[in-house]
Amino acid sequence: MLSLAAKLVAFFWRTADTAREEAGRPELELAEGDTKLKTVRGVVTRYCSDYGMIDDLIYFSSDAVTSKVLLNVGQEVIAVVEENKVSNGLKAIRVEAVSDKWEDDSRNQGSPSDCSPRVLIGCVTSLVEGAGCISQTTYFSLESVCEGFEPCKGDWVEAEYRIRPGTWNSEATSVKPLRYKRVDKVCISSLCGRNGVIEESIFFTLDSLKLPDGYTPRRGDMVNAVVVESSQSCYVWRALCMTLVKRREAAPVHEATQFYGTILLKNKGDIEVTQMTHFGTLKEGRSKTMVIWIENKGDIPQNLVSCKLAGWDQSKQFRFQMLDKDQTCPIVSFVSVSEKENSSDENVNSLNSHTKNSISQMSENGLVNNRGISPGDCTCKGENGEKDNILSRKQMTEPEPGGLVPPGGKTFIVVVCDGKNPGRCKELLLLCFSDFLIGRYLEVNVISGEESLIAVREPFSWKKLKSSQALTSAKTTVVVTTQKRNSRRQLPSFLPQYPIPDRLRKCVEQKIDILTFQPLLAELLNMSNYKEKFSTLLWLEEIYAEMELKEYNMSGIVLRRNGDLLVLEVPGLAEGRPSLYTGDKLILKTQEYNGHAIEYISYVTEIHEEDVTLKINPEFEQAYNFEPMDVEFTYNRTTSRRCHFALEQVIHLGVKVLFPEEIILQSPQVTGNWNHEQDTKSNGRSTSKKTRKTMTDQAEHGTKERRVGDKDLPALAPFTAEMSDWVDEIQTPKARKMEFFNPVLNENQKLAVKRILSGDCRPLPYILFGPPGTGKTVTIIEAVLQVHFALPDSRILVCAPSNSAADLVCLRLHESKVLRPATMVRVNATCRFEEIVIDAVKPYCRDGEDIWKASRFRIIITTCSSSGLFYQIGVRVGHFTHVFVDEAGQASEPECLIPLGLMSDVSGQVTKLVKNYRSHEALLTLPSRLFYHRELEVCADPTVVTSLLGWEKLPKKGFPLLFHGVRGSEAREGKSPSWFNPAEAVQVLRYCCLLAQSISSQVSASDIGVITPYRKQVRPAQARLAL
């Protein structure tokens, strides 16, 4: 099945080769829209109950088969094939089997052999010893591969293949790379294990890379390489062979440090070393010692040249310790290597020979006294201050001589761990003998005092609904008799259900190939498959959302009373685990009794943190006596249904908007002269306080001027007499000298506003993009205001994926102070609570309660999903003249289509915003290089973005970014599904306190932001900063 699905994907980018068709066969070609029809004759090479392949090129479904003959692999057929110009794919719309007699006669008459070679372009999907497969269906032997090419999984190849008679399996006779090239003087940009990358674009692996003898690639080496086209993660090229041009200059690395993994950890030379080297849990600021035993079980003495640490732990929490001279235990020398000296050959070999007396003392005294201790033992002493800490703590500062371990002898080393940084820590101990190297991992888990305060206090116990209870043999469903889900809005509810197809759900649950349900998913997106493809993807998202929601179902829950209503406590609800809104449906089930259970349909009427107030059947509400109930959460399909509906409505936009291929210039919507004097007032730099005040004053001045003009508009009573004057006056904005409401826009922002207002390329969508901080929302605000005042017949719909983004747009328009009352309205979802709306936006929300009234406002602001409310009151295409979708990159395409289905015309073209007003230059370098062709310009206020460059905790002064790795443990506690990491939370808390209490660059607590997916992770910092 998987091989057929892969073949289905592969054939869409291959066009038909007419040379492959039978010579002399008549061909019928018909033009029909964007498709081309032809009649071909071929052989069924793949077939299952739902679809199949003809000649491994032409796809057909079971619905296209017209003959009563049962199709099998090898069956000869005649097919009417549709060639799509957009996807270049071949699909049979009619397939008719050829009878056996006719087939035999045709073969006897010398028809072209089915074994004739054909050309295949595909990807190497698997490799075994001496052979492989292309696109999971075509076998090839490595003997058929062209000389010098060693294929690898993911390589794109061009192959000639034949179909074996009888078996109808395809086999490649020759294989060569599809594309290849040579690159010279390029640098190895990264190297991890046996894989690496050249110039951040070419992948290579040492498992298949051809290298000159004696050369091992290193990061920074300049090389020449031959590369082939290959799909390797995010890379499209793979290096086939590589030669060194110039070796990167680097300090010599001792070969002992190159040992890795299990080989390093194995005992060698009959030397056995303690295996258990984990210090366990250690409090920050305390220390622990560990004795590591070394025993020689061979017949040859082994010389321990040195022992050192690899330097993995930069905080240097591990160190060696030597014994005092009066100790009777064996003595061994150690070398504690600093980070800079870690890989120096001198440090490894800097041990001087010790006197024979010392060796004699070690062998005669110490080894005899410790024969009873096995090297598998590990003596780990207590923390500082404890009585069992018998070893004196004299830390080694200079290299000391090594020691000889005689046959049957034992010795030991003492390692001390000082708890400095919270979290798990791992270091590598290297024991260097004369002829070999043995390694041991030193591990510890350091916990801080603050961490103990927020550690898990109650074991996690989620009352999850048992799967067996879901299979009740009989049940009775009780619904709410007088449930009013929408108490504030009585809207027509004609939105279709768009139920999830059972076959698709079965494919997901049983892990069946999705292409058996919808083969169109393998096609390139085009106008003909637009609705079907996105509908299937929406259903798949719903299925997985339902599966995730089932994880939060609860069993044996007792409801509590709040007056006449019942309240359900849902742990984790405050952070959206699960996600519930007012109006959502919950199912309450009684405990099963004699194979029967009663389920009550309830609706959420109010949510307060983790308390959910439910509306249930009145009789149940009165009779409920705190019996345990099972709770099932259901997925709210409203947004998904609106997306499905929008997919049906946007068909009128057509190829011109959804798949534009050409630009047709239109006459401009607005004509006029722009005031270029404003350009000299601002050079695009950051807005100072003085500039912001000037902008506010100008906005207020503009408000006064426009309101005076409104009062001077002719009254409608003497309408006939003053009609011409009134028309002239309302047309004045187009003829006036036009000015920007925001005087500090840069040139790219102004250009975007002008193009949106002009609409020369309508109905193409206008795309405004740029990284965070380049002023996209500011530009949208200016464009909305310009359209509103320049086009009196405009009605503008402004949408965003989230409520917070929509509120921000409303707030910015409010702060412009140029809009008259009753011009703008904020439409909220029915489930949104008024108390979470900011005060400045609340007045605009009141008029949004009446959707019919709100639809007549000139500027309407809502979320993409809530814009679907206008479909329910009969608003259709053309009601809105302009649709703005802010933060469109955060929404799915079907979600954006909900508001776009209500528009008439919208401007087109693309404007890139490259001036960034938010970030320091160092933070913009990477995104500028990766995504914006190095065009981003730093325009942020220097006094703000450079204020912390000298902070004492920055590892690199002048670079305002800090990465702090903490190896903590994730945990949950009690009934809450929220995850938290105590070690990470403590480290965040410490940084917040350091910023808030810094003497040189103190930061206000209100200016510190902590972003985390889990609410509990930020509670320690919130509590501490609130003190």
Side-chain angles (χ1 to χ4, degrees):
M1 183 65 69
L2 292 177
S3 62
L4 181 56
K7 199 63 184 177
L8 179 62
V9 175
F11 94 94
F12 277 101
W13 56 71
R14 300 202 301 268
T15 56
D17 187 354
T18 55
R20 290 193 294 261
E21 297 176 5
E22 291 185 345
R25 281 286 167 193
E27 180 177 280
L28 177 63
E29 294 188 3
L30 300 173
E32 184 176 313
D34 289 334
T35 61
K36 186 178 181 181
L37 300 180
K38 60 176 67 176
T39 301
V40 298
R41 182 176 177 179
V43 175
V44 177
T45 53
R46 303 285 171 183
Y47 185 69
C48 67
S49 59
D50 297 307
Y51 59 87
M53 300 286 291
I54 302 173
D55 292 342
D56 281 343
L57 292 172
I58 304 169
Y59 160 81
F60 68 94
S61 64
S62 58
D63 297 332
V65 181
T66 58
S67 175
K68 296 182 180 179
V69 178
L70 181 63
L71 293 184
N72 294 305
V73 174
Q75 177 75 52
E76 192 167 4
V77 294
I78 297 177
V80 178
V81 179
E82 180 184 69
E83 181 181 0
N84 193 287
K85 292 182 178 179
V86 178
S87 64
N88 293 328
L90 300 177
K91 177 182 178 181
I93 61 175
R94 178 184 175 90
V95 179
E96 184 174 1
V98 180
S99 65
D100 292 339
K101 182 178 184 304
W102 186 79
E103 181 181 37
D104 292 339
D105 291 342
S106 66
R107 291 182 178 177
N108 293 333
Q109 293 173 7
S111 61
S113 173
D114 289 325
C115 297
S116 57
R118 310 162 186 230
V119 177
L120 166 68
I121 295 176
C123 180
V124 177
T125 52
S126 63
L127 283 171
V128 293
E129 185 176 357
C133 279
I134 303 172
S135 300
Q136 296 184 343
T137 58
T138 304
Y139 167 87
F140 71 90
S141 170
L142 293 184
E143 296 178 354
S144 62
V145 178
C146 68
E147 184 178 359
F149 174 48
E150 183 179 342
C152 184
K153 187 177 180 180
D155 289 353
W156 286 96
V157 296
E158 178 181 323
E160 289 188 358
Y161 72 101
R162 301 174 185 271
I163 298 179
R164 295 177 180 175
T167 63
W168 301 106
N169 293 327
S170 55
E171 180 179 354
T173 57
S174 68
V175 180
K176 64 180 181 179
L178 180 62
R179 289 199 300 160
Y180 62 92
K181 63 180 179 180
R182 171 174 172 155
V183 290
D184 294 329
K185 295 183 178 181
V186 291
C187 289
I188 299 177
S189 52
S190 63
L191 192 62
C192 181
R194 299 189 60 80
N195 299 332
V197 178
I198 304 173
E199 290 291 314
E200 299 182 353
S201 60
I202 302 171
F203 171 84
F204 70 86
T205 175
L206 298 180
D207 296 331
S208 62
L209 186 66
K210 296 181 180 179
L211 297 169
D213 293 339
Y215 171 57
T216 301
R218 294 180 185 173
R219 185 174 179 269
D221 287 354
M222 182 179 292
V223 297
N224 296 336
V226 175
V227 301
V228 296
E229 185 176 10
S230 182
S231 297
Q232 303 291 339
S233 183
C234 58
Y235 307 104
V236 296
W237 295 97
R238 179 181 71 87
L240 201 62
C241 58
M242 181 190 302
T243 59
L244 177 66
V245 176
K246 182 180 179 182
R247 171 72 80 177
R248 176 191 178 186
E249 296 181 1
V253 180
H254 191 265
E255 65 179 12
T257 61
Q258 298 179 4
F259 284 86
Y260 181 76
T262 56
I263 297 178
L264 177 65
L265 300 178
K266 284 184 177 180
N267 292 323
K268 306 175 185 70
D270 294 324
I271 291 289
E272 291 191 3
V273 182
T274 299
Q275 297 287 343
M276 300 300 296
T277 54
H278 199 302
F279 281 81
T281 301
L282 179 64
K283 291 184 178 180
E284 186 179 17
R286 308 298 294 272
S287 298
K288 240 180 198 181
T289 59
M290 176 181 290
V291 177
I292 299 177
W293 288 93
I294 304 170
E295 180 180 1
N296 186 356
K297 290 191 173 182
D299 299 329
I300 303 174
Q302 298 290 350
N303 185 24
L304 177 60
V305 179
S306 68
C307 52
K308 68 173 186 175
L309 301 175
W312 291 4
D313 177 25
Q314 294 185 1
S315 59
K316 300 179 182 179
Q317 297 182 104
F318 299 96
R319 58 184 172 88
F320 297 113
Q321 187 179 57
M322 65 175 291
L323 299 180
D324 292 335
K325 294 182 179 180
D326 56 354
Q327 286 283 1
T328 59
C329 294
I331 299 175
V332 67
S333 59
F334 320 103
V335 180
S336 181
V337 184
S338 65
E339 182 180 357
K340 293 182 180 179
E341 301 171 340
N342 227 8
S343 58
S344 174
D345 291 340
E346 296 179 0
N347 290 322
V348 177
N349 300 315
S350 62
L351 298 179
N352 300 321
S353 60
H354 196 267
T355 62
K356 295 182 179 180
N357 293 336
S358 297
I359 299 177
S360 175
Q361 177 185 1
M362 178 175 60
S363 59
E364 294 178 3
N365 297 334
L367 297 179
V368 173
N369 294 335
N370 290 281
R371 287 185 182 275
I373 301 178
S374 169
D377 299 334
C378 174
T379 306
C380 190
K381 302 300 180 181
E383 299 180 6
N384 282 353
E386 296 185 4
K387 295 181 179 180
D388 59 349
N389 193 5
I390 60 174
L391 295 177
S392 62
R393 286 166 171 76
K394 181 179 177 183
Q395 185 175 357
M396 301 218 35
T397 57
E398 295 182 359
E400 293 288 341
L404 192 68
V405 184
K410 299 177 184 178
T411 185
F412 66 86
I413 59 174
V414 180
V415 181
V416 181
C417 178
D418 302 316
K420 298 178 181 179
N421 290 337
R424 297 190 305 275
C425 178
K426 192 173 186 179
E427 178 60 280
L428 177 61
L429 169 65
L430 299 173
L431 302 176
C432 303
F433 290 84
S434 299
D435 301 323
F436 53 87
L437 187 73
I438 298 178
R440 287 292 181 267
Y441 291 129
L442 304 177
E443 299 179 73
V444 67
N445 183 23
V446 180
I447 59 172
S448 62
E450 299 96 328
E451 187 176 341
S452 61
L453 299 177
I454 61 173
V456 176
R457 302 183 181 279
E458 180 183 357
F460 176 69
S461 176
W462 183 256
K463 294 185 176 181
K464 187 176 179 181
L465 184 62
K466 297 180 181 179
S467 58
S468 60
Q469 293 180 349
L471 303 175
T472 307
S473 58
K475 66 179 180 180
T476 302
T477 303
V478 180
V479 300
V480 179
T481 55
T482 58
Q483 190 270 332
K484 293 183 179 180
R485 182 174 179 179
N486 193 337
S487 59
R488 293 186 289 171
R489 298 169 180 158
Q490 300 301 319
L491 300 178
S493 183
F494 62 86
L495 194 64
Q497 291 296 322
Y498 302 103
I500 300 174
D502 293 335
R503 285 185 57 204
L504 181 60
R505 188 184 296 275
K506 179 181 178 182
C507 287
V508 175
E509 293 175 349
Q510 300 183 6
K511 298 182 180 180
I512 302 175
D513 189 357
I514 302 297
L515 292 177
T516 61
F517 171 80
Q518 184 53 275
L520 291 176
L521 290 178
E523 295 183 5
L524 295 175
L525 187 66
N526 55 62
M527 199 65 207
S528 62
N529 63 21
Y530 192 82
K531 177 182 178 298
E532 291 77 9
K533 191 166 185 174
F534 270 119
S535 294
T536 304
L537 294 176
L538 286 170
W539 283 325
L540 287 173
E541 283 193 358
E542 285 189 70
I543 293 173
Y544 283 102
E546 290 177 356
M547 293 170 61
E548 288 184 355
L549 205 56
K550 286 181 180 179
E551 295 296 319
Y552 298 103
N553 290 344
M554 299 182 293
S555 178
I557 302 300
V558 177
L559 307 178
R560 70 172 189 267
R561 290 193 176 275
N562 183 12
D564 295 334
L565 300 175
L566 296 176
V567 178
L568 169 68
E569 181 183 358
V570 183
L573 181 63
E575 61 181 31
R577 293 176 174 83
S579 179
L580 288 181
Y581 297 96
T582 302
D584 283 358
K585 182 174 72 172
L586 274 68
I587 300 177
L588 303 179
K589 289 185 177 180
T590 61
Q591 299 293 311
E592 183 177 342
Y593 181 73
N594 289 336
H596 184 270
I598 303 176
E599 64 177 25
Y600 295 89
I601 307 298
S602 62
Y603 292 91
V604 178
T605 60
E606 185 179 346
I607 298 176
H608 181 69
E609 293 186 352
E610 295 185 342
D611 291 339
V612 179
T613 303
L614 301 176
K615 176 64 178 176
I616 320 177
N617 180 272
E619 297 179 359
F620 174 80
E621 291 175 342
Q622 296 175 5
Y624 179 70
N625 193 26
F626 305 103
E627 297 88 356
M629 307 287 290
D630 294 338
V631 181
E632 291 186 14
F633 300 98
T634 62
Y635 179 69
N636 191 333
R637 301 188 64 244
T638 302
T639 299
S640 179
R641 290 165 59 197
R642 288 171 177 168
C643 289
H644 282 285
F645 189 76
L647 288 172
E648 296 179 347
Q649 299 302 309
V650 297
I651 299 301
H652 73 277
L653 299 177
V655 178
K656 294 186 299 181
V657 173
L658 298 177
F659 299 92
E661 296 181 352
E662 60 180 356
I663 296 177
I664 302 176
L665 295 179
Q666 307 285 345
S667 58
Q669 296 179 117
V670 177
T671 58
N673 298 321
W674 289 89
N675 183 7
H676 296 288
E677 296 178 0
Q678 286 183 315
D679 296 344
T680 61
K681 297 179 182 180
S682 173
N683 59 358
R685 295 180 181 175
S686 60
T687 308
S688 62
K689 294 182 179 180
K690 182 177 180 181
T691 308
R692 293 191 184 101
K693 184 178 185 302
T694 304
M695 181 178 67
T696 304
D697 294 342
Q698 290 181 1
E700 293 177 352
H701 178 67
T703 306
K704 295 178 181 178
E705 287 185 347
R706 296 183 187 277
R707 290 180 180 175
V708 169
D710 293 336
K711 293 179 181 179
D712 294 339
L713 284 177
L716 295 181
F719 181 78
T720 306
E722 300 181 357
M723 178 65 179
S724 60
D725 295 337
W726 184 73
V727 171
D728 291 339
E729 190 158 350
I730 65 172
Q731 293 294 334
T732 302
K734 292 186 180 180
R736 286 177 182 171
K737 192 173 185 179
M738 306 181 68
E739 296 185 355
F740 290 99
F741 295 95
N742 188 345
V744 296
L745 295 177
N746 61 49
E747 59 274 13
N748 286 334
Q749 292 171 323
K750 291 179 180 179
L751 178 62
V753 173
K754 293 176 183 178
R755 287 179 174 174
I756 292 173
L757 195 58
S758 176
D760 295 331
C761 299
R762 60 185 186 276
L764 290 183
Y766 193 96
I767 301 175
L768 188 68
F769 77 102
T774 51
K776 296 183 293 296
T777 301
V778 171
T779 307
I780 291 294
I781 298 301
E782 180 70 27
V784 169
L785 294 175
Q786 292 291 348
V787 170
H788 172 74
F789 285 106
L791 299 173
D793 61 336
S794 63
R795 178 174 286 116
I796 305 169
L797 177 62
V798 186
C799 295
S802 63
N803 280 308
S804 58
D807 286 345
L808 179 62
V809 173
C810 186
L811 180 63
R812 293 290 180 262
L813 288 172
H814 165 75
E815 292 174 345
S816 69
K817 299 182 180 180
V818 298
L819 294 176
R820 296 170 52 200
T823 298
M824 180 173 66
V825 65
R826 171 70 168 95
V827 176
N828 287 296
T830 306
C831 60
R832 198 180 188 206
F833 298 109
E834 183 180 357
E835 54 266 22
I836 65 176
V837 181
I838 57 179
D839 293 337
V841 176
K842 283 182 180 179
Y844 300 98
C845 299
R846 297 188 184 101
D847 291 325
E849 295 303 308
D850 188 337
I851 300 298
W852 283 275
K853 180 181 178 181
S855 66
R856 298 299 170 183
F857 278 67
R858 289 282 307 281
I859 301 176
I860 303 171
I861 303 172
T862 186
T863 61
C864 294
S865 177
S866 294
S867 65
L869 292 170
F870 295 105
Y871 287 110
Q872 295 181 241
I873 61 172
V875 170
R876 288 296 181 267
V877 177
H879 182 80
F880 298 101
T881 60
H882 295 74
V883 175
F884 293 84
V885 182
D886 194 20
E887 302 290 350
Q890 305 300 320
S892 64
E893 185 165 336
E895 195 175 359
C896 289
L897 293 178
I898 300 175
L900 293 181
L902 298 166
M903 72 177 181
S904 55
D905 292 332
V906 67
S907 302
Q909 292 173 294
V910 178
T911 294
K912 182 192 299 182
L913 300 184
V914 296
K915 293 183 180 292
N916 185 284
Y917 297 92
R918 189 178 301 170
S919 304
H920 187 272
E921 180 181 8
L923 305 181
L924 294 178
T925 302
L926 182 63
S928 179
R929 177 167 59 88
L930 293 179
F931 308 115
Y932 298 96
H933 307 288
R934 305 180 188 270
E935 295 176 357
L936 293 185
E937 301 177 25
V938 180
C939 300
D941 187 349
T943 60
V944 176
V945 297
T946 62
S947 59
L948 293 174
L949 292 183
W951 189 42
E952 57 272 13
K953 292 300 178 180
L954 281 179
K956 182 179 180 181
K957 299 298 184 291
F959 189 79
L961 184 64
L962 185 151
F963 291 96
H964 190 123
V966 177
R967 293 184 175 181
S969 300
E970 288 75 23
R972 293 188 290 183
E973 66 176 359
K975 299 179 181 179
S976 174
S978 177
W979 290 91
F980 68 101
N981 189 312
E984 291 179 355
V986 167
Q987 189 57 56
V988 170
L989 169 61
R990 290 179 175 180
Y991 278 126
C992 291
C993 293
L994 288 171
L995 286 170
Q997 300 170 4
S998 175
I999 299 176
S1000 59
S1001 51
Q1002 187 173 2
V1003 180
S1004 172
S1006 60
D1007 292 332
I1008 298 176
V1010 179
I1011 302 174
T1012 173
Y1014 301 103
R1015 178 181 293 265
K1016 191 165 185 177
Q1017 190 74 7
V1018 299
R1019 285 181 178 174
Q1022 289 175 332
R1024 179 67 178 173
L1025 294 174
L1027 296 179

